[in-house]
Amino acid sequence: MAKMQRQGRIIILLGPPGAGKGTQAERLSSSLAIPAISTGEMLRQECRSGSALGLAVQELLVAGGLVSDELIQKVVADRLAQPDCAQGCILDGFPRTAAQARFLDCFLAGSAFTAPVVFDLAIDPQILIDRLSSRRQCPVCARTYHMTLGASSSCPHDGSELVIRNDDQPATVKRRLQIYAENTREIVGFYRNRGYRRVDASQPVEKVTRRLLSLLGNTGESADLSRPLVAAQQLYA
Ligand code: AP5
């Protein structure tokens, strides 16, 4: 593969469904002026547009399964080759299998991006269930909101009626958490000595963002690593 001139920093956000990857990706994107790339949102957009890709993956997404490594790797490689990624990007939801992590590694080596920084958004499963059952999404601008008592049911940005994501039904959430648990140990093992930082994602949104930004400013900081990692299988099974 010919080397592209890409000097930017790649930030990978790992974490279970509802950990706040999308929320933090958008906030980091604003602070760092690099794009947030959500593979889940890219796939949902394909479904909404009715494209061939969207039709092919729709059923799988609703059931909470993973699309194939080959398919998502192509989607990500194409996206990373776009000019707006030249200064780096935030990857939300990729990689999520060991094969995807290995693919990304090869791709980045061939592309001259710097080695990725990997943030693992760790959180108690009970908080996830609460977050996912309270999440609503705008079908037009795709912004997500955490519904609290008395909150408006329309999007403050464009007034559209907010909806529940297809894959936020309880049975599907359970399936997504299982799939996360099955894959995550290998990915964490892959990155553990390579830019990996574990971050407490149960904190308020602003506090998590501050923590991520401070770790980006001081990658030598390792306080979170001193906490024992509980096996994902134990947490989310
Ligand atoms: P994807 O969209 O990536 O889903 P996910 O990983 O399950 O993550 P979520 O989007 O559910 O949660 P999040 O961590 O982004 O949390 P959020 O910020 O929204 O993927 C969907 C599907 O696409 C997959 O199931 C799969 O089918 C497919 N797919 C995607 N990538 C793939 C890949 N690489 N390979 C194969 N298939 C792939 O926050 C959740 C809620 O909590 C929100 O309401 C938010 O407002 C709230 N919240 C966030 N942070 C906080 C906080 N600190 N305090 C209080 N509330 C908070």
CSV table of all heavy atoms in Angstrom, one decimal, residues 142-173:
chain,number,residue,atom,x,y,z
A,142,ALA,N,-29.6,13.3,13.9
A,142,ALA,CA,-29.0,12.2,14.5
A,142,ALA,C,-28.4,12.5,15.9
A,142,ALA,O,-27.7,11.7,16.5
A,142,ALA,CB,-27.9,11.6,13.6
A,143,ARG,N,-28.6,13.7,16.4
A,143,ARG,CA,-28.2,14.0,17.8
A,143,ARG,C,-28.9,13.1,18.8
A,143,ARG,O,-30.1,12.8,18.5
A,143,ARG,CB,-28.4,15.5,18.1
A,143,ARG,CG,-27.5,16.5,17.4
A,143,ARG,CD,-27.9,17.9,17.8
A,143,ARG,NE,-26.9,18.9,17.3
A,143,ARG,CZ,-26.8,19.4,16.1
A,143,ARG,NH1,-27.7,19.0,15.2
A,143,ARG,NH2,-25.9,20.3,15.8
A,144,THR,N,-28.2,12.8,19.8
A,144,THR,CA,-28.8,12.0,20.9
A,144,THR,C,-29.0,12.8,22.1
A,144,THR,O,-28.3,13.7,22.4
A,144,THR,CB,-28.0,10.7,21.2
A,144,THR,OG1,-26.7,11.1,21.7
A,144,THR,CG2,-27.9,9.8,20.0
A,145,TYR,N,-30.1,12.4,22.9
A,145,TYR,CA,-30.4,13.1,24.1
A,145,TYR,C,-30.7,12.1,25.2
A,145,TYR,O,-31.3,11.0,24.9
A,145,TYR,CB,-31.6,14.0,23.9
A,145,TYR,CG,-31.4,15.1,22.8
A,145,TYR,CD1,-31.8,14.8,21.5
A,145,TYR,CD2,-30.7,16.2,23.1
A,145,TYR,CE1,-31.6,15.7,20.5
A,145,TYR,CE2,-30.5,17.2,22.0
A,145,TYR,CZ,-30.9,16.9,20.8
A,145,TYR,OH,-30.7,17.8,19.7
A,146,HIS,N,-30.4,12.5,26.4
A,146,HIS,CA,-30.7,11.7,27.6
A,146,HIS,C,-32.0,12.3,28.2
A,146,HIS,O,-32.0,13.4,28.6
A,146,HIS,CB,-29.6,11.8,28.6
A,146,HIS,CG,-29.8,10.9,29.8
A,146,HIS,ND1,-29.6,9.5,29.7
A,146,HIS,CD2,-30.2,11.2,31.0
A,146,HIS,CE1,-29.8,9.0,30.9
A,146,HIS,NE2,-30.2,10.0,31.7
A,147,MET,N,-33.1,11.5,28.1
A,147,MET,CA,-34.4,12.0,28.6
A,147,MET,C,-34.5,12.0,30.1
A,147,MET,O,-34.3,11.0,30.7
A,147,MET,CB,-35.5,11.2,28.0
A,147,MET,CG,-35.6,11.2,26.5
A,147,MET,SD,-35.7,12.8,25.7
A,147,MET,CE,-37.4,13.2,26.0
A,148,THR,N,-34.8,13.2,30.6
A,148,THR,CA,-35.0,13.3,32.0
A,148,THR,C,-36.5,13.7,32.2
A,148,THR,O,-37.1,14.1,31.2
A,148,THR,CB,-34.1,14.3,32.7
A,148,THR,OG1,-34.2,15.5,31.9
A,148,THR,CG2,-32.7,13.9,32.7
A,149,LEU,N,-37.0,13.6,33.4
A,149,LEU,CA,-38.4,13.9,33.7
A,149,LEU,C,-38.7,15.3,33.2
A,149,LEU,O,-38.0,16.3,33.4
A,149,LEU,CB,-38.6,13.8,35.2
A,149,LEU,CG,-40.1,13.6,35.6
A,149,LEU,CD1,-40.5,12.2,35.1
A,149,LEU,CD2,-40.2,13.6,37.1
A,150,GLY,N,-39.8,15.4,32.4
A,150,GLY,CA,-40.2,16.7,31.9
A,150,GLY,C,-39.4,17.2,30.7
A,150,GLY,O,-39.7,18.3,30.2
A,151,ALA,N,-38.5,16.4,30.2
A,151,ALA,CA,-37.7,16.9,29.0
A,151,ALA,C,-38.6,16.9,27.8
A,151,ALA,O,-39.5,16.1,27.6
A,151,ALA,CB,-36.5,15.9,28.8
A,152,SER,N,-38.3,17.8,26.8
A,152,SER,CA,-39.0,17.9,25.6
A,152,SER,C,-38.8,16.7,24.7
A,152,SER,O,-37.8,16.1,24.7
A,152,SER,CB,-38.5,19.1,24.8
A,152,SER,OG,-39.0,19.1,23.5
A,153,SER,N,-39.9,16.3,24.0
A,153,SER,CA,-39.8,15.1,23.2
A,153,SER,C,-39.4,15.5,21.7
A,153,SER,O,-39.5,14.7,20.8
A,153,SER,CB,-41.1,14.3,23.1
A,153,SER,OG,-42.1,15.1,22.6
A,154,SER,N,-39.1,16.8,21.5
A,154,SER,CA,-38.6,17.2,20.2
A,154,SER,C,-37.2,17.7,20.3
A,154,SER,O,-36.7,18.1,21.3
A,154,SER,CB,-39.6,18.2,19.6
A,154,SER,OG,-39.8,19.2,20.5
A,155,CYS,N,-36.5,17.6,19.1
A,155,CYS,CA,-35.1,18.0,19.0
A,155,CYS,C,-35.0,19.5,19.2
A,155,CYS,O,-35.5,20.2,18.4
A,155,CYS,CB,-34.6,17.5,17.7
A,155,CYS,SG,-32.9,18.0,17.4
A,156,PRO,N,-34.2,19.9,20.2
A,156,PRO,CA,-34.0,21.4,20.4
A,156,PRO,C,-33.3,22.0,19.2
A,156,PRO,O,-33.4,23.2,18.9
A,156,PRO,CB,-33.1,21.4,21.6
A,156,PRO,CG,-33.0,20.1,22.2
A,156,PRO,CD,-33.4,19.1,21.2
A,157,HIS,N,-32.6,21.2,18.4
A,157,HIS,CA,-31.9,21.7,17.2
A,157,HIS,C,-32.7,22.0,16.0
A,157,HIS,O,-32.7,23.1,15.4
A,157,HIS,CB,-30.8,20.7,16.9
A,157,HIS,CG,-29.9,21.2,15.8
A,157,HIS,ND1,-29.0,22.2,16.0
A,157,HIS,CD2,-29.7,20.8,14.5
A,157,HIS,CE1,-28.3,22.4,14.8
A,157,HIS,NE2,-28.7,21.5,14.0
A,158,ASP,N,-33.6,21.0,15.7
A,158,ASP,CA,-34.4,21.2,14.5
A,158,ASP,C,-35.9,20.9,14.7
A,158,ASP,O,-36.7,20.9,13.7
A,158,ASP,CB,-33.9,20.4,13.3
A,158,ASP,CG,-33.8,18.9,13.6
A,158,ASP,OD1,-34.7,18.4,14.4
A,158,ASP,OD2,-32.9,18.2,13.1
A,159,GLY,N,-36.3,20.7,15.9
A,159,GLY,CA,-37.7,20.5,16.2
A,159,GLY,C,-38.4,19.2,15.9
A,159,GLY,O,-39.6,18.9,16.1
A,160,SER,N,-37.6,18.2,15.3
A,160,SER,CA,-38.1,16.9,14.9
A,160,SER,C,-38.5,16.1,16.2
A,160,SER,O,-37.9,16.3,17.2
A,160,SER,CB,-37.1,16.1,14.1
A,160,SER,OG,-36.6,16.8,13.1
A,161,GLU,N,-39.5,15.3,16.0
A,161,GLU,CA,-39.9,14.4,17.1
A,161,GLU,C,-38.8,13.4,17.4
A,161,GLU,O,-38.4,12.7,16.5
A,161,GLU,CB,-41.2,13.7,16.7
A,161,GLU,CG,-42.0,13.0,17.8
A,161,GLU,CD,-42.5,14.0,18.9
A,161,GLU,OE1,-42.6,15.2,18.6
A,161,GLU,OE2,-42.8,13.5,20.0
A,162,LEU,N,-38.4,13.3,18.6
A,162,LEU,CA,-37.3,12.3,19.0
A,162,LEU,C,-37.8,10.9,19.0
A,162,LEU,O,-39.0,10.7,19.3
A,162,LEU,CB,-36.7,12.6,20.3
A,162,LEU,CG,-36.1,14.0,20.5
A,162,LEU,CD1,-35.6,14.3,21.9
A,162,LEU,CD2,-34.9,14.3,19.5
A,163,VAL,N,-36.9,9.9,18.6
A,163,VAL,CA,-37.4,8.5,18.5
A,163,VAL,C,-36.4,7.7,19.4
A,163,VAL,O,-35.3,8.1,19.7
A,163,VAL,CB,-37.4,8.0,17.1
A,163,VAL,CG1,-38.4,8.8,16.2
A,163,VAL,CG2,-36.0,8.1,16.5
A,164,ILE,N,-36.9,6.4,19.7
A,164,ILE,CA,-36.0,5.5,20.3
A,164,ILE,C,-35.3,4.7,19.3
A,164,ILE,O,-35.9,4.3,18.3
A,164,ILE,CB,-36.9,4.5,21.2
A,164,ILE,CG1,-37.7,5.2,22.2
A,164,ILE,CG2,-36.0,3.4,21.8
A,164,ILE,CD1,-38.6,4.3,23.1
A,165,ARG,N,-34.0,4.6,19.4
A,165,ARG,CA,-33.2,3.8,18.4
A,165,ARG,C,-33.7,2.4,18.4
A,165,ARG,O,-34.0,1.8,19.4
A,165,ARG,CB,-31.7,3.8,18.8
A,165,ARG,CG,-30.8,4.5,17.8
A,165,ARG,CD,-29.5,4.7,18.3
A,165,ARG,NE,-28.7,3.5,18.5
A,165,ARG,CZ,-27.4,3.5,18.8
A,165,ARG,NH1,-26.7,4.6,18.9
A,165,ARG,NH2,-26.8,2.3,18.9
A,166,ASN,N,-33.8,1.8,17.1
A,166,ASN,CA,-34.3,0.5,16.9
A,166,ASN,C,-33.6,-0.5,17.8
A,166,ASN,O,-34.2,-1.5,18.3
A,166,ASN,CB,-34.0,0.0,15.5
A,166,ASN,CG,-35.0,0.6,14.6
A,166,ASN,OD1,-36.1,0.9,15.0
A,166,ASN,ND2,-34.7,0.7,13.3
A,167,ASP,N,-32.3,-0.3,18.0
A,167,ASP,CA,-31.5,-1.3,18.8
A,167,ASP,C,-31.4,-1.0,20.3
A,167,ASP,O,-30.6,-1.6,21.0
A,167,ASP,CB,-30.1,-1.5,18.2
A,167,ASP,CG,-29.3,-0.3,18.1
A,167,ASP,OD1,-29.8,0.8,18.5
A,167,ASP,OD2,-28.1,-0.3,17.8
A,168,ASP,N,-32.2,-0.1,20.8
A,168,ASP,CA,-32.3,0.2,22.2
A,168,ASP,C,-33.4,-0.6,22.9
A,168,ASP,O,-33.7,-0.3,24.1
A,168,ASP,CB,-32.4,1.7,22.4
A,168,ASP,CG,-31.0,2.4,22.4
A,168,ASP,OD1,-30.0,1.7,22.4
A,168,ASP,OD2,-31.0,3.6,22.4
A,169,GLN,N,-34.1,-1.5,22.2
A,169,GLN,CA,-35.1,-2.3,22.9
A,169,GLN,C,-34.3,-3.2,23.9
A,169,GLN,O,-33.2,-3.7,23.6
A,169,GLN,CB,-35.9,-3.2,21.9
A,169,GLN,CG,-36.5,-2.3,20.8
A,169,GLN,CD,-37.5,-1.3,21.4
A,169,GLN,OE1,-38.1,-1.4,22.5
A,169,GLN,NE2,-37.7,-0.2,20.6
A,170,PRO,N,-34.9,-3.5,25.1
A,170,PRO,CA,-34.2,-4.3,26.1
A,170,PRO,C,-33.5,-5.6,25.6
A,170,PRO,O,-32.4,-5.9,25.9
A,170,PRO,CB,-35.3,-4.6,27.1
A,170,PRO,CG,-36.3,-3.5,27.0
A,170,PRO,CD,-36.2,-3.1,25.5
A,171,ALA,N,-34.2,-6.4,24.8
A,171,ALA,CA,-33.7,-7.7,24.4
A,171,ALA,C,-32.4,-7.4,23.5
A,171,ALA,O,-31.4,-8.1,23.5
A,171,ALA,CB,-34.7,-8.5,23.6
A,172,THR,N,-32.5,-6.4,22.7
A,172,THR,CA,-31.4,-6.1,21.7
A,172,THR,C,-30.2,-5.5,22.5
A,172,THR,O,-29.1,-5.8,22.2
A,172,THR,CB,-31.9,-5.1,20.7
A,172,THR,OG1,-33.1,-5.5,20.2
A,172,THR,CG2,-30.9,-5.0,19.5
A,173,VAL,N,-30.5,-4.7,23.5
A,173,VAL,CA,-29.4,-4.2,24.4
A,173,VAL,C,-28.7,-5.3,25.0
A,173,VAL,O,-27.4,-5.3,25.0
A,173,VAL,CB,-30.0,-3.2,25.4
A,173,VAL,CG1,-29.0,-2.9,26.5
A,173,VAL,CG2,-30.5,-1.9,24.8
